[in-house]
Amino acid sequence: MHKILIIDDKHAILESLDMFFTEKGYQVFTADSGATGMALLDRHDPDVVILDIRLPDTHGISLLKHIQALEKPCKVIMITAFQDMETTIQAMKLGAYDYIHKPLDVDKIERAVDRALYTLKIDRETPQAAEMTQPPNPEVIIGKSDRMRNIFKTIGLLSQNRAPVLIQGETGTGKELIARVIHRNSLFAMEPFITFDCSAVVETLLESELFGHEKGAFTGATQSKAGKIELAGNGTLFLDEIGELPLIMQRKFLGFLQRNEYDRVGGKHPLTSRCRIIAATNRNLAEMVNNGMFRQDLFFRLKVVMIHVPLLVDRLTDIPDLVGHFLQKINWELGTDIFSLEKGVLDRLTAHTWPGNVRELENVLVEAVVRARGKVILVDEIENILLSNYPITTTRLTTYSLPHMEKEHIRTTLDRLDWNRSETARVLGISQPTLRKKIRKYGIVPSVR
Ligand SMILES: Nc1ncnc2c1ncn2[C@@H]1O[C@H](COP(=O)(O)OP(=O)(O)OP(=O)(O)O)[C@@H](O)[C@H]1O
Ligand SMILES: [Mg+2]
């Protein structure tokens, strides 16, 4: 039987909560002062304390501090009549599980108590994670799926030369990370890695940002300045969002690629550079070429080596490793130690479609860690975060038959999980024999990429 201790100086509140929770099957203790509360706390070791902020003999916050300092602190739900920002923040900072305002809504309190007990249970079942002594390496690309492995191979091949690389992939798939790792593994890793965001700069400034300018080259050029190409030296120049480069700049940049030579704006002597070019885009450059929005000759120059970064939804098998990696990183950065996942969290994450790809996954985990009020990330919490990120659910009317949709759903899930049948069966919630039967029935085969 779970034990609840209620500390409040209003007898009406003590009585009604006592009645309510006793009826629900809890063992309830009540105290109308801080001192009585402390005594009951020592004697009965409750699971949850419902604690009023204003008490006749002490402040709820000091009691909260006392509880948090215990060897095995219970969960504390604070209640107060005051909408006081400072105290709310302080209470949450000190580790209160929840903070509820009066007038009291018993359902709300019951929900908070339920959740607190649940968290407590999981906390107690979860072993304490080992302390980290150094930050995780920010420049590793996590992934064991075939498509990521192929990218690793390509990076290996690129390490011995300066061939230009074009990285294509949707937002948040890891294009910049891949560019950095290519550089870090090259023979010139000790040289600079310079980023140039083609979409961030005002068009008129693009040229001088990229190529640099001489003093007096244009109004406001009071000083000569090196461009990004010059800064990259013998290292790597990363051109982000290359699809946004205006046509006129495309022509000038192509000139540089063809001759390894360029002029600062207003410069009299051409400069040379041997920097490696890595370009990235989330646009379909081939299509832009067809539409006359991107120069074909530049496209061919850039895509000597092309890397397609898959959507996260096309490498769901990487999610567990990514989650582990991000938890290390996040906990290190936030100074927290939340490493455990409630059973079901990975399934929930694997069921999501991830339009924002790996970056979205990382952001969801940051929020989950920040919101966690135990040592464990709960399925509920993940569910809430995902729901609040996608408030509008669109239902599309389709004219497909049910068997057709079943077939398609099974096929895409198989593809996404690299045809790992046991994983697929688990995600779909069916047995492996059933999955095999359906594969045969519908004649499903791996799709060609
Ligand atoms: N495979 C991976 N392993 C570890 N971290 C990853 C991986 N892929 C992406 N990340 C992390 O996810 C975040 C987003 O990645 P990145 O900035 O490289 O994406 P991007 O493709 O450049 O996105 P955008 O097109 O929006 O600029 C970064 O914090 C990056 O370190
Ligand atoms: Mg990027």
Side-chain angles (χ1 to χ4, degrees):
M1 194 194 279
H2 290 300
K3 289 179 273 189
I4 302 185
L5 169 60
I6 308 167
I7 309 175
D8 196 311
D9 55 344
K10 303 265 175 330
H11 285 272
I13 287 187
L14 290 182
E15 270 163 37
S16 58
L17 288 181
D18 186 359
M19 218 154 66
F20 180 80
F21 282 109
T22 306
E23 199 162 300
K24 297 269 173 190
Y26 295 90
Q27 188 176 0
V28 182
F29 308 94
T30 59
D32 60 3
S33 71
T36 327
M38 287 275 232
L40 291 175
L41 191 71
D42 281 348
R43 194 167 336 132
H44 299 291
D45 188 21
D47 303 293
V48 176
V49 176
I50 299 176
L51 177 59
D52 188 21
I53 289 273
R54 300 267 169 115
L55 294 166
D57 55 340
T58 175
H59 198 282
I61 292 286
S62 41
L63 230 89
L64 173 64
K65 278 187 194 157
H66 170 83
I67 294 173
Q68 292 303 111
L70 296 174
E71 197 183 325
K72 274 168 60 191
C74 54
K75 299 287 169 191
V76 180
I77 298 168
M78 310 290 291
I79 47 176
T80 175
F82 304 96
Q83 305 274 357
D84 161 4
M85 180 191 79
E86 284 299 325
T87 326
T88 312
I89 294 178
Q90 205 192 354
M92 295 310 279
K93 214 156 103 185
L94 287 171
Y97 186 78
D98 214 337
Y99 200 101
I100 294 176
H101 292 283
K102 292 179 187 174
L104 291 181
D105 170 350
V106 277
D107 290 335
K108 212 164 165 188
I109 298 195
E110 192 191 8
R111 269 199 305 277
V113 168
D114 278 353
R115 285 175 57 88
L117 285 170
Y118 188 61
T119 312
L120 194 70
K121 171 170 167 282
I122 295 185
D123 274 3
R124 286 182 177 161
E125 287 167 2
T126 314
Q128 186 77 38
E131 194 147 318
M132 258 186 307
T133 50
Q134 55 181 36
N137 183 352
E139 282 184 4
V140 313
I141 307 169
I142 302 297
K144 291 198 193 109
S145 56
D146 289 348
R147 298 187 59 184
M148 292 311 287
R149 282 195 175 135
N150 278 330
I151 292 179
F152 300 157
K153 262 190 252 171
T154 309
I155 294 176
L157 295 174
L158 286 168
S159 66
Q160 300 303 312
N161 55 59
R162 287 180 173 268
V165 186
L166 177 61
I167 306 175
Q168 204 145 20
E170 296 288 322
T171 180
T173 47
K175 297 184 291 298
E176 177 163 353
L177 176 63
I178 290 172
R180 288 181 185 279
V181 173
I182 291 172
H183 177 72
R184 201 53 67 213
N185 283 284
S186 69
L187 298 172
F188 41 96
M190 299 319 283
E191 305 287 337
F193 177 94
I194 299 290
T195 297
F196 181 70
D197 185 344
C198 304
S199 69
V201 184
V202 195
E203 199 171 321
T204 50
L205 282 180
L206 271 173
E207 187 174 358
S208 96
E209 285 284 317
L210 197 54
F211 297 121
H213 63 253
E214 293 298 345
K215 185 174 173 177
F218 47 83
T219 330
T222 52
Q223 216 118 75
S224 60
K225 190 181 158 204
K228 295 282 188 176
I229 296 180
E230 211 171 321
L231 295 176
N234 282 326
T236 299
L237 177 63
F238 176 53
L239 295 170
D240 209 356
E241 313 283 0
I242 186 86
E244 310 304 319
L245 202 62
L247 280 165
I248 174 153
M249 279 303 295
Q250 291 180 23
R251 182 171 58 74
K252 290 183 177 169
F253 190 68
L254 178 70
F256 161 62
L257 287 186
Q258 285 165 336
R259 294 185 300 275
N260 287 324
E261 254 183 29
Y262 65 98
D263 294 309
R264 280 182 170 187
V265 179
K268 304 231 162 26
H269 310 286
L271 302 173
T272 56
S273 169
R274 296 180 58 230
C275 64
R276 158 178 265 155
I277 304 298
I278 304 181
T281 179
N282 51 26
R283 318 231 344 221
N284 183 339
L285 283 194
E287 202 176 289
M288 288 181 73
V289 168
N290 287 336
N291 298 332
M293 284 157 64
F294 202 86
R295 291 183 69 109
Q296 184 170 41
D297 42 12
L298 178 57
F299 178 54
F300 284 136
R301 274 270 169 179
L302 291 174
K303 76 174 194 70
V304 174
V305 176
M306 183 111 157
I307 294 178
H308 286 278
V309 196
L311 296 171
L312 179 55
V313 84
D314 287 330
R315 44 177 155 130
L316 292 173
T317 46
D318 286 343
I319 284 188
D321 288 342
L322 282 168
V323 170
H325 169 75
F326 285 135
L327 286 181
Q328 295 275 334
K329 179 176 167 196
I330 295 164
N331 280 300
W332 178 264
E333 283 168 4
L334 300 182
T336 44
D337 66 338
I338 295 158
F339 289 96
S340 321
L341 307 175
E342 186 190 359
K343 202 168 157 291
V345 165
L346 286 177
D347 284 345
R348 183 62 190 91
L349 292 175
T350 308
H352 186 56
T353 51
W354 302 110
N357 296 292
V358 183
R359 180 182 296 112
E360 184 188 355
L361 175 63
E362 183 173 4
N363 291 342
V364 165
L365 291 171
V366 170
E367 195 175 340
V369 168
V370 170
R371 292 188 171 284
R373 277 169 282 171
K375 287 180 291 172
V376 182
I377 294 176
L378 304 178
V379 180
D380 253 18
E381 205 67 80
I382 295 289
E383 188 72 46
N384 286 336
I385 295 168
L386 290 176
L387 282 180
S388 68
N389 289 354
Y390 300 92
I392 311 154
T393 54
T394 45
T395 23
R396 244 181 311 153
L397 280 179
T398 52
T399 48
Y400 298 122
S401 66
L402 213 49
H404 173 88
M405 286 174 51
E406 184 179 65
K407 175 184 170 182
E408 283 310 302
H409 187 55
I410 294 174
R411 193 180 57 74
T412 46
T413 311
L414 278 163
D415 281 345
R416 281 170 188 171
L417 296 170
D418 287 336
W419 277 72
N420 179 331
R421 286 183 177 70
S422 61
E423 262 306 286
T424 306
R426 200 179 54 78
V427 169
L428 291 174
I430 57 179
S431 69
Q432 284 195 56
T434 308
L435 177 64
R436 271 198 298 278
K437 231 181 294 165
K438 289 190 191 283
I439 292 175
R440 244 181 288 122
K441 173 177 159 198
Y442 292 129
I444 303 174
V445 291
S447 36
V448 198
R449 286 199 214 275

